[in-house]
Every structure is written in C-alpha cells, then in structure tokens.
Amino acid sequence: MSELAAGTGVDAAALPLVHEPLPADEVVIGRPTTAVHTLATIGEVEVGVWEMTPGTASDTEVDEVFVVLAGHARIEFVEPALPAVEVDRGSVVRLAAGQRTVWTVTETLRKVYIA
C-alpha cells in the first residue's frame, strides 16, 4: 500500500506492516523488530503508522507527536534527563529532535505519528 490519496481512509490499527530487525547497535534487550508505513506527506510533515515488537531499544528522536493505537511501552528520556513515561492505547506523546530515549516495549506497540 502506498500513501493515502486525498478523500480515502485506512484502518491504522489493522494496516498490514512489514517488520525488520533493528540495527544491533540500537538493541538493548531482546530481538525487537519495527515496521513503518507512511500514510501521507503534507509539505515537510510526514504522517504514518509505526510499530515495535517487545524488547528494549535506544533511539535518537525527531520532532514528533504520536498517538498510541495498541500495546504498552515505557519510554525513558536519557538526554535530556526527564521522567520516564508509560504509554498505552490512547496515550499522546510529544518528542523533540535530538532527544535520546530508551524504549521498553512489553506488548507490541503501534502508533500513528506526525513528524
């Protein structure tokens, strides 16, 4: 499936995604995989669906707001140091470019992101 055409829709929670292993240098615990599907690009803003299977991985973030559709995770903010957040269905989170995070996914996490 490609990007959505204007005037069309998709069930983001049921959208089939193709997973790939994370790079070894990002994996902290387990064998998590991720998948992403871009739904639309509007100007310089990308909207898509992202998913990660259980495990722990580190990341350097981009400017993003996301809404969790399913799953559960704990996001630790390493740099800058901020309190960790627990996310599950319905959580809305704002990330900033350059933040270093560690994601511990305990139930496959699926989110819609705007970045």
Side-chain angles (χ1 to χ4, degrees):
M1 177 182 184
S2 59
E3 289 192 17
L4 291 175
T8 64
V10 66
D11 181 347
L15 184 68
L17 299 174
V18 178
H19 280 254
E20 295 187 11
L22 284 167
D25 63 335
E26 294 178 13
V27 175
V28 177
I29 297 171
R31 296 178 140 197
T33 62
T34 60
V36 65
H37 183 91
T38 302
L39 296 173
T41 303
I42 305 164
E44 295 183 20
V45 176
E46 182 177 289
V47 179
V49 177
W50 178 90
E51 187 171 82
M52 180 175 158
T53 60
T56 303
S58 62
D59 196 16
T60 301
E61 303 301 336
V62 299
D63 282 326
E64 174 182 338
V65 172
F66 67 85
V67 179
V68 176
L69 299 175
H72 182 84
R74 176 181 174 86
I75 306 167
E76 296 175 60
F77 295 91
V78 177
E79 192 176 309
L82 297 168
V85 295
E86 299 277 335
V87 298
D88 53 20
R89 190 178 62 163
S91 296
V92 179
V93 177
R94 166 78 165 87
L95 301 171
Q99 283 183 310
R100 298 204 20 86
T101 56
V102 174
W103 294 64
T104 300
V105 174
T106 54
E107 180 184 330
T108 298
L109 188 74
R110 182 175 283 216
K111 66 181 184 177
V112 171
Y113 66 87
I114 302 167

